Amino acid sequence: MTTLPAMDTRSADRLHDFVDAHARLFVVTGAGISTDSGIPDYRDGRGEWKRSPPMTLQMFMSGPPARARYWARGMIGWRHFASVQPNVAHRALAALEHTGRIELLLTQNVDGLHEAAGSGNVVDLHGRLDRVRCMQCGDISTRDIMQRRLQEANPTWMALQATIAPDGDADLDGVDFSSFEIPPCTVCGGILKPDVVFFGENVPRARVDTAWAHLARADAMLVVGSSLMVYSGYRFVLEASRQGLPIASVNLGVTRADALLTLKVELPCGEALARYASPGN
């Protein structure tokens, strides 16, 4: 069994004391909780972008060139993304929910790993990458079906190799996307888009309302793996602070909410939460 350095042990102990002291945790998670599953995160320790910002809704809807670039990158990246598995941090939060300690788990991630780990009371704030929505008729299909259609329409592209990127896509540089074919909606022929909230797109109101309702019943907030630089998640921390709730954060590097935190633990998410993934805890 690996022993943590003394300072890290104290940090983990303070986190355990915080969790154990509150019966109804409102949990917010971000990209940092999924890095141990093999999904890269977006920002560095200073909260700055590690690569170009993600696709915006306006860009995606601007025309076929932008959509071809998105779906080509997505087709290559999905081979890896579809096989990722929950890690110890996901399993720890699922275990805490099963003991009745989590009021709600609000995730900014689109990977579905919380549900795969066994969490049931989850709001996927930004949607799920394993679903595809038609922008015209609203039909929902699975990303696996879209993957098969993309591969059948673009068989030679499957030979490409690329570095995996955070949004389930891949970094394809210096590639001409003009020949890439994008399958249309099988119901109406409309434009297909992953069922996730792009930058410039509003989070569905029902998700936000559900989160507010659960936050009103929580007695503390725990933020795991998020710098909170995106306002859609940060606003819940602002409200928790306004309500006087204690707020703990597990994150490597700065967060937008540092001045609001009751406790900040700069440890990898799995290391900080590993105790709760063990039977009997």
Side-chain angles (χ1 to χ4, degrees):
M1 180 177 178
T2 301
T3 301
L4 300 178
M7 184 177 295
D8 288 352
T9 301
R10 290 196 297 272
S11 296
D13 286 344
R14 287 194 292 271
L15 176 65
H16 299 157
D17 290 343
F18 179 92
V19 171
D20 294 345
H22 300 98
R24 298 186 307 279
L25 290 169
F26 186 102
V27 180
V28 178
T29 67
I33 197 172
S34 293
T35 54
D36 283 348
S37 292
I39 301 176
D41 55 4
Y42 298 94
R43 299 177 186 271
D44 60 23
R46 301 183 303 276
E48 303 293 334
W49 290 108
K50 290 182 177 180
R51 47 173 50 83
S52 299
M55 176 72 73
T56 65
L57 178 64
Q58 293 79 5
M59 186 181 299
F60 185 85
M61 297 301 294
S62 67
R67 292 192 291 276
R69 179 177 181 272
Y70 178 87
W71 281 117
R73 289 162 54 101
M75 185 182 74
I76 301 303
W78 185 253
R79 294 176 299 189
H80 169 78
F81 195 87
S83 66
V84 298
Q85 297 295 318
N87 62 56
V88 64
H90 297 107
R91 294 194 297 272
L93 292 178
L96 278 171
E97 180 189 302
H98 293 163
T99 63
R101 304 299 299 279
I102 292 181
E103 173 67 31
L104 182 75
L105 197 163
L106 180 74
T107 184
Q108 300 169 97
N109 299 337
V110 296
D111 52 38
L113 291 179
H114 286 298
E115 291 90 339
S119 291
N121 196 15
V122 179
V123 168
D124 295 293
L125 187 64
H126 297 149
R128 289 276 296 267
L129 200 61
D130 58 1
R131 297 190 297 252
V132 176
R133 176 184 295 273
C134 175
M135 297 298 286
Q136 182 167 307
C137 72
D139 181 67
I140 298 290
S141 56
T142 70
R143 181 62 179 79
D144 285 336
I145 291 174
M146 184 63 170
Q147 182 72 3
R148 290 196 294 271
R149 296 182 69 200
L150 287 167
Q151 292 178 186
E152 289 168 0
N154 306 277
T156 60
W157 287 72
M158 293 305 293
L160 295 178
Q161 300 293 326
T163 302
I164 301 302
D167 285 315
D169 56 354
D171 292 328
L172 290 177
D173 298 319
V175 175
D176 180 4
F177 297 100
S178 61
S179 65
F180 191 84
E181 296 186 22
I182 310 169
C185 174
T186 57
V187 176
C188 72
I191 294 170
L192 293 176
K193 170 186 169 294
D195 193 22
V196 301
V197 177
F198 282 176
F199 277 75
E201 189 173 7
N202 292 325
V203 175
R205 188 71 225 176
R207 297 177 196 166
V208 177
D209 289 344
T210 297
W212 287 136
H214 282 279
L215 182 58
R217 295 194 291 269
D219 59 9
M221 175 174 281
L222 173 63
V223 182
V224 183
S226 178
S227 64
L228 298 167
M229 296 300 175
V230 178
Y231 184 74
S232 61
Y234 176 60
R235 59 180 159 176
F236 294 100
V237 183
L238 285 175
E239 178 60 19
S241 178
R242 189 193 70 79
Q243 294 181 17
L245 298 182
I247 305 167
S249 168
V250 180
N251 191 68
L252 295 172
V254 302
T255 83
R256 189 176 181 179
D258 279 355
L260 307 177
L261 299 178
T262 307
L263 171 66
K264 182 175 182 180
V265 176
E266 293 199 64
L267 288 174
C269 300
E271 186 174 304
L273 293 171
R275 165 184 163 181
Y276 297 104
S278 303
N281 289 308

